[in-house]
Amino acid sequence: MERHLNLIKTEYQETEKRVFPRFPFTYLTFKSKDTESRVFEVKDISFSGMQLSLKDGGHEYTPGTEIDGTLHWKSAKLKAIGSVKWVSGQELGVAFTLSSVFEKEVKQFLSVENIVAGMRPIHNSGLDIDMPSNLKYWLRADGPVEVFIWQHNDGEISRFQIILMDNFLEWEDGKGIKTGEVAEKRDLDTPLVKEDEFTFRFTGELDESILEFARSVVSQLPHNYLPDTARNFLETKLGL
């Protein structure tokens, strides 16, 4: 089920595409003042913006309009104002209206502590989730962070990816660690499978800030979310 597309090379950058399974729901939501009876799911979020999806009903938002409301994530809340940048059916992309106060608030809302508190082991959730055959462990913190750990047919770990909002880190057997940014994400839905295709743009040299973010998340994971062998493997490769 996992599909690798050819490497795209340009003079300035390298990008690769990856396909990951999609979890069917999220606890991270946004309630707009203009549509209080309807709640948006937050498909993606970073310190600068978010992607929203409305499952039921319609909305009147168009590119350039302001959106004002409250983000809800478990017990955490964050009031946010932004500008709609694009609309595609029931989905819209929003850029936050940044201020010194809001920047501090959104960093707290998306802190490592909140991310870890919102993370769940999908591979051990008891839910009927269609997992690719070589995907051994899958940790998910709603929109901000996901961890995918793959294995060889003999059971040894072959690679792992950590998506960290609009950045990513990947380790692959024989290739080591590389970091980059999420350049694009799109749905690849079929009647039987829900998947997302990510386009990763590599930074070339290892980005230490992305590596440090990944270390912070992994070091605070509850010990029952991964077996010791997998956890120790991640920690060793990340230099913890």
Side-chain angles (χ1 to χ4, degrees):
M1 289 182 63
E2 188 199 20
R3 289 167 281 179
H4 288 271
L5 284 81
N6 290 334
L7 182 69
I8 305 167
K9 293 187 177 181
T10 73
E11 183 179 358
Y12 302 104
Q13 63 189 24
E14 291 184 349
T15 65
E16 284 187 27
K17 293 181 179 180
R18 299 284 189 274
V19 175
F20 298 111
R22 186 189 322 132
F23 195 66
F25 61 87
T26 177
Y27 294 103
L28 179 58
T29 61
F30 178 79
K31 181 176 287 188
S32 168
K33 288 183 178 179
D34 298 326
T35 56
E36 289 192 350
S37 61
R38 293 184 289 275
V39 177
F40 290 92
E41 290 187 358
V42 181
K43 296 187 66 176
D44 291 291
I45 190 169
S46 69
F47 298 125
S48 59
M50 58 186 174
Q51 181 179 338
L52 305 178
S53 177
L54 190 60
K55 296 299 183 183
D56 300 306
H59 64 81
E60 303 299 323
Y61 291 110
T62 57
T65 57
E66 183 182 272
I67 185 168
D68 184 355
T70 304
L71 283 156
H72 298 264
W73 193 18
K74 300 298 180 66
S75 61
K77 295 182 180 181
L78 175 66
K79 292 183 178 180
I81 299 175
S83 174
V84 176
K85 294 300 181 182
W86 56 264
V87 176
S88 178
Q90 299 298 87
E91 297 186 358
L92 54 152
V94 176
F96 292 135
T97 300
L98 300 176
S99 66
S100 58
V101 173
F102 179 79
E103 288 180 20
K104 292 179 181 178
E105 292 176 341
V106 72
K107 286 180 179 179
Q108 177 59 41
F109 185 77
L110 297 175
S111 65
V112 172
E113 290 75 18
N114 278 352
I115 287 170
V116 172
M119 187 167 281
R120 294 293 179 269
I122 306 304
H123 59 274
N124 195 30
S125 64
L127 300 174
D128 185 19
I129 303 297
D130 187 18
M131 299 247 303
S133 58
N134 287 337
L135 178 58
K136 184 63 174 178
Y137 306 110
W138 177 10
L139 307 178
R140 185 176 188 276
D142 297 311
V145 173
E146 291 191 81
V147 180
F148 298 92
I149 304 176
W150 307 81
Q151 65 178 6
H152 291 294
N153 291 334
D154 63 4
E156 295 295 322
I157 293 176
S158 61
R159 62 194 175 278
F160 62 81
Q161 292 107 352
I162 305 178
I163 299 172
L164 303 152
M165 291 186 275
D166 49 8
N167 295 310
F168 83 97
L169 179 147
E170 179 176 76
W171 175 90
E172 188 171 358
D173 191 10
K175 296 182 179 180
I177 288 181
K178 51 188 175 183
T179 55
E181 62 181 21
V182 178
E184 185 181 8
K185 177 183 174 182
R186 67 188 186 95
D187 298 344
L188 290 181
D189 290 349
T190 69
L192 298 177
V193 179
K194 301 293 185 182
E195 295 178 318
D196 288 323
E197 180 187 77
F198 286 78
T199 299
F200 294 150
R201 180 180 296 118
F202 297 109
T203 55
E205 295 183 359
L206 195 65
D207 189 316
E208 290 293 335
S209 64
I210 297 174
L211 179 58
E212 188 56 39
F213 192 177
R215 286 170 173 165
S216 297
V217 171
V218 170
S219 66
Q220 296 186 46
L221 290 175
H223 280 272
N224 61 330
Y225 280 16
L226 290 172
D228 289 342
T229 52
R231 184 187 184 95
N232 293 339
F233 188 92
L234 286 184
E235 291 178 347
T236 297
K237 298 304 179 184
L238 294 175
L240 283 168

